[in-house]
């Protein structure tokens, strides 16, 4: 959290200090002009600017949430780049304006005093509003990059509070700081942070398919750098530097940093040289050669009762000197006859406007406008168009829907339970579905509609599929659909995978017999080696566990839930032998268990060709194998003393890879970007597992240091997340 807070803290401090200085100058100028009664107008403008900034942040948050995932990435990436542009412009502007800020604002205020209340409100609103909008945009982008809002909001809040305290101290002359140096130093840091925001924004645009090269990495250190370590978190939170970065990200990051930092540093040096020349000239004119540091640090903008604001430890410029003394406008404002004409008694025909009306209005108007924008931008479901379905007629009442997110009320008027699909009839691609819609019931089906052709397909439990008349929706294409697979589509992958499992079982039978022979002969050292070899072979067949039926419990069952635990007579198979081999049990006590394992392996191989292997199990196992790995092997839960949980995890990864090979033809056409991402995840996890493999030995899970364990868990979790769409993409649907 706190690593994500620093960039927001810095922007809150800097933008808050800019806005606070402006407000301080406004207040001080009014006090000097004897127009304290006009102060509420300043605070009204400030309040309006704050309301506008908060409303802008709400619009960014809620309108982005209503977009599709791809659109959110593109939207976020675009605004990240806009935020970088704003921050860059702000850094250069403040570098140039720090010295003359007080004089410029003073001139505007004196003009506003002569023109009326509305102009003064507008002056303070515009002066503070720009900072507020920049802050809202930068906070939104940093919160999105951090995937959480607590840290960025906390950092910004602390920065704003500190900025307010500094401004008050400057106003009361408690503090005297060199603001030119302050804005220069924070400008350098903000440029570095902005480079990271730019890199993150470019990555978002790649993920939103706006920019190419999403899988072209300059470096990928995820296999050797712990993404969860404090230093990784700090670098990513503050600088947006990640263990893996694409060429586009690196080019944007380095290019921005090189160009902008060079221009900024040159400008600072130019200002320093100019300041030295001015100081030397002033000293010569005075004839005393007095050092520049002894000159007044800021123009006097307040009366004696209100000390001046120290803007920088440099001599006042000509413009500042010209506004340091009261102008004719100020003098006229200070005069009661000019600034505040005597009030006249209220008559029966005049009504005094309530003092709270304008402040409430300036807060309410931005909030109402923001709510209106969010309401219009957020695609709500339509008013529930009812569509009737049955085994003989599908899609009664279906009319061409409007583009956007739609809520269809599906009512089964037939006598059979039906599957209902919203499809593209030209490709059978599914946009939405309801499984098991019972007779007489109504359920919602929510789907996003864009330009294209749509129809309803109803598949009753005991009948043929019925498809409605197709309708055309105008507009650009964009709605996501899944092209369904049939059992026929999965037939070839299933055949290939069954052949792989059959070969693996043949190898397993040979290996378990050798293990049994070792134990019978008392060769327990060789038995430990052969046990691991055979167990890894079995673990690599993970996708077939659902087909092995009760053989799996006999061959690789855990002692969990057994009354006698590891000593229970029903605890058999690999894990029972593991417990005995690594807990000093004699060969005589393991001979029967080893022979039983060999017999069960042979029985499984004989039964497997005749077992029913459901084709729909293949996509499910792509995710479930590694789920079990994360739950059992990487926690050490299945370890019975050998410390080889990572070896089993390595075998499970090999089984997952083999499964993806046979599913590749189906996945490539449905999600072309999925497999390259998954391949990168597998490579990353494989490197981490290989680093724990030393010759014939493996590092036990409980001996991994915290960093290595976090890397393994993180890499496995990321792979699981990227594999999670596979079951839905390859779900067997009757609409195919």
């Amino acid at each position: 959290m706190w690593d994500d807070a620093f960039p927001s803290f810095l922007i809150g401090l800097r933008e808050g200090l800019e806005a606070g200085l402006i407000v301080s100058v406004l207040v001080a100028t009014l006090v000097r002009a004897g127009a304290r009664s006009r102060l509420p107008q300043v605070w009204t403008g400030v309040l309006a600017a704050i309301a506008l900034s908060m409303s802008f942040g709400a619009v960014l948050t809620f309108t982005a949430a209503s977009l599709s995932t791809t659109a959110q990435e593109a939207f976020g990436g675009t605004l990240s780049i806009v935020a970088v542009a704003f921050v860059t412009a702000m850094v250069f502007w403040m570098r140039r304006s720090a010295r003359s800020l007080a004089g410029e604002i003073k001139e505007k205020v004196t003009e506003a005093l002569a023109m009326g209340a509305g102009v003064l409100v507008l002056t303070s609103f515009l002066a503070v509003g720009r900072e507020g909008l920049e802050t809202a945009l930068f906070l939104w982008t940093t919160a999105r990059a951090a995937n959480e809002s607590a840290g960025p909001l906390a950092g910004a809040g602390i920065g704003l509070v500190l900025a307010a305290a500094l401004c008050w101290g400057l106003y009361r002359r408690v503090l005297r700081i060199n603001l030119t140096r302050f804005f220069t130093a924070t400008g350098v840091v903000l440029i570095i942070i902005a480079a990271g925001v730019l890199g993150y924004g470019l990555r978002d645009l790649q993920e939103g398919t706006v920019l190419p090269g999403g899988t072209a990495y300059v470096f990928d250190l995820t296999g050797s750098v712990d993404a969860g370590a404090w230093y990784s978190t700090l670098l990513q939170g503050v600088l947006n530097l990640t263990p893996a970065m694409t060429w586009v990200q690196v080019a944007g990051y380095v290019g921005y940093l090189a160009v902008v930092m060079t221009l900024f540093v040159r400008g600072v040096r130019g200002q320093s040289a100019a300041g030295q020349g001015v100081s030397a000239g002033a000293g010569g004119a005075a004839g005393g050669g007095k050092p520049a540091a002894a000159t007044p640090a800021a123009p006097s903008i307040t009366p004696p009762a209100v000390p001046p604001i120290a803007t920088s430890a440099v001599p006042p410029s000509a413009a500042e000197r010209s506004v340091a003394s009261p102008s004719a406008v100020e003098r006229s404002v200070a005069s009661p006859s000019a600034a505040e004409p005597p009030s006249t008694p209220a008559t029966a025909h005049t009504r005094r406007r309530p003092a709270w009306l304008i402040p409430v209005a300036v807060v309410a108007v931005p909030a109402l406008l923001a709510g209106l924008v969010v309401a219009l931008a957020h695609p709500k479901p339509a008013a529930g168009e009812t569509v009737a379905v049955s085994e003989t007629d599908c899609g009664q009442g279906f009319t061409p829907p409007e583009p956007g997110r739609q809520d269809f009320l599906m009512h089964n008027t037939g006598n059979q339970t039906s599957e209902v699909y919203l499809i593209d009839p030209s490709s059978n691609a599914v946009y939405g579905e309801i499984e098991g819609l019972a007779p007489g019931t109504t359920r919602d089906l929510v789907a996003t509609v864009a330009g294209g052709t749509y129809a309803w397909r109803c598949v009753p439990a005991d009948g043929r599929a019925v498809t409605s008349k197709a309708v055309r929706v105008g507009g650009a294409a964009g709605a996501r659909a899944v092209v369904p697979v049939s059992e026929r589509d999965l037939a070839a992958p299933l055949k290939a995978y069954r052949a792989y499992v059959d070969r693996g079982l043949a190898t397993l039978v040979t290996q378990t017999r050798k293990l049994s022979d070792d134990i019978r002969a008392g060769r327990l050292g060789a038995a430990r080696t052969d046990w691991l070899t055979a167990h890894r072979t079995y673990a690599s067949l993970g996708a077939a566990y659902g087909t092995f039926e009760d053989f799996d419990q006999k061959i690789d069952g855990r002692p969990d839930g057994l009354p006698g635990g590891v000593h229970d007579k029903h605890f058999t198979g690999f894990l029972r032998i593991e417990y005995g081999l690594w807990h000093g049990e004699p060969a005589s006590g393991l001979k029967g268990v080893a022979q039983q394992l060999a017999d069960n392996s042979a029985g499984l191989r004989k039964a497997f060709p005749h077992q029913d292997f459901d084709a729909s199990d293949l996509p499910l196992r792509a995710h479930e194998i590694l789920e079990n790995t994360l739950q059992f092997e990487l926690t050490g839960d299945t370890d019975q003393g050998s410390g080889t949980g990572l070896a089993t995890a390595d075998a499970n990864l090999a089984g997952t890879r083999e499964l993806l090979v046979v599913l590749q033809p189906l996945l490539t056409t449905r999600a072309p970007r999925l497999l390259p991402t998954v391949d990168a995840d597998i490579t990353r996890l494989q490197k981490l597992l290989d680093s724990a493999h030393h010759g014939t030995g493996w590092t036990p899970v409980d001996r991994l240091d915290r960093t290595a364990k976090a890397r393994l868990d993180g890499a496995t979790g990321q792979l699981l997340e990227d594999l999670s769409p596979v079951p839905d993409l390859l779900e067997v649907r009757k609409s195919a």
Side-chain angles (χ1 to χ4, degrees), residues 24-34 106 109-110 113 301 330:
S24 298
V25 175
L26 289 172
V27 172
T29 305
L30 289 174
V31 171
R32 174 172 184 150
K106 183 180 178 69
V109 174
T110 53
L113 282 170
I301 59 173
E330 287 175 279

Side-chain angles (χ1 to χ4, degrees), residues 185-201:
T186 55
V188 170
V189 179
L190 275 178
I191 288 172
I192 297 173
I193 291 174
V197 175
L198 176 62
Y200 177 83

Side-chain angles (χ1 to χ4, degrees), residues 566-642:
V566 294
H567 304 292
D568 195 282
K569 65 179 181 179
H570 296 295
F571 180 37
T572 61
F574 278 112
L575 301 188
R576 171 64 181 88
I577 296 173
E578 176 189 8
Y579 181 83
L581 288 175
W582 273 272
H583 283 82
E585 191 170 343
S588 58
L590 294 174
K591 285 192 295 185
V593 181
Q595 184 59 51
Q596 185 179 3
L597 174 62
D599 292 343
N600 286 331
S601 299
L604 174 58
R605 188 199 175 191
K606 183 178 180 180
F608 179 71
H610 309 289
Q611 290 177 331
D612 183 25
F613 200 140
D614 190 345
S616 62
D617 280 350
L618 283 181
L620 292 174
R621 295 296 184 270
H623 190 263
E624 291 178 349
I625 297 174
L626 291 176
E627 274 188 340
N628 288 338
T629 303
L630 189 61
Q631 181 180 359
F632 298 115
E633 273 67 43
L634 295 186
T635 60
D637 186 69
T638 56
D639 184 19
Q640 300 299 322
S642 68

Side-chain angles (χ1 to χ4, degrees), residues 34-35 37-38 41 113-114 116-117 332-345 352:
S37 62
R38 307 288 290 274
Q41 296 165 15
L113 282 170
S332 64
V333 170
S335 171
S337 60
E340 297 181 41
S343 58
T344 58
R352 186 175 181 83

Side-chain angles (χ1 to χ4, degrees), residues 493-506 508-509 538 541-552 555 599-614 617-618 621:
L494 181 59
K495 181 179 179 181
Y497 193 76
R498 288 184 70 102
Y500 162 77
V501 173
D502 192 59
R503 293 192 300 271
L505 289 176
L508 179 68
V509 169
Y538 185 77
L541 308 178
Y545 290 171
T547 307
F548 291 168
E549 298 173 351
D550 58 348
F551 278 107
D552 182 48
I555 292 174
D599 292 343
N600 286 331
S601 299
L604 174 58
R605 188 199 175 191
K606 183 178 180 180
F608 179 71
H610 309 289
Q611 290 177 331
D612 183 25
F613 200 140
D614 190 345
D617 280 350
L618 283 181
R621 295 296 184 270

Side-chain angles (χ1 to χ4, degrees), residues 659-669 675:
L659 182 59
L660 291 173
V661 168
V662 302
L663 294 176
Q664 181 177 358
L666 296 176
L667 289 172
T668 300
T669 57
L675 284 179

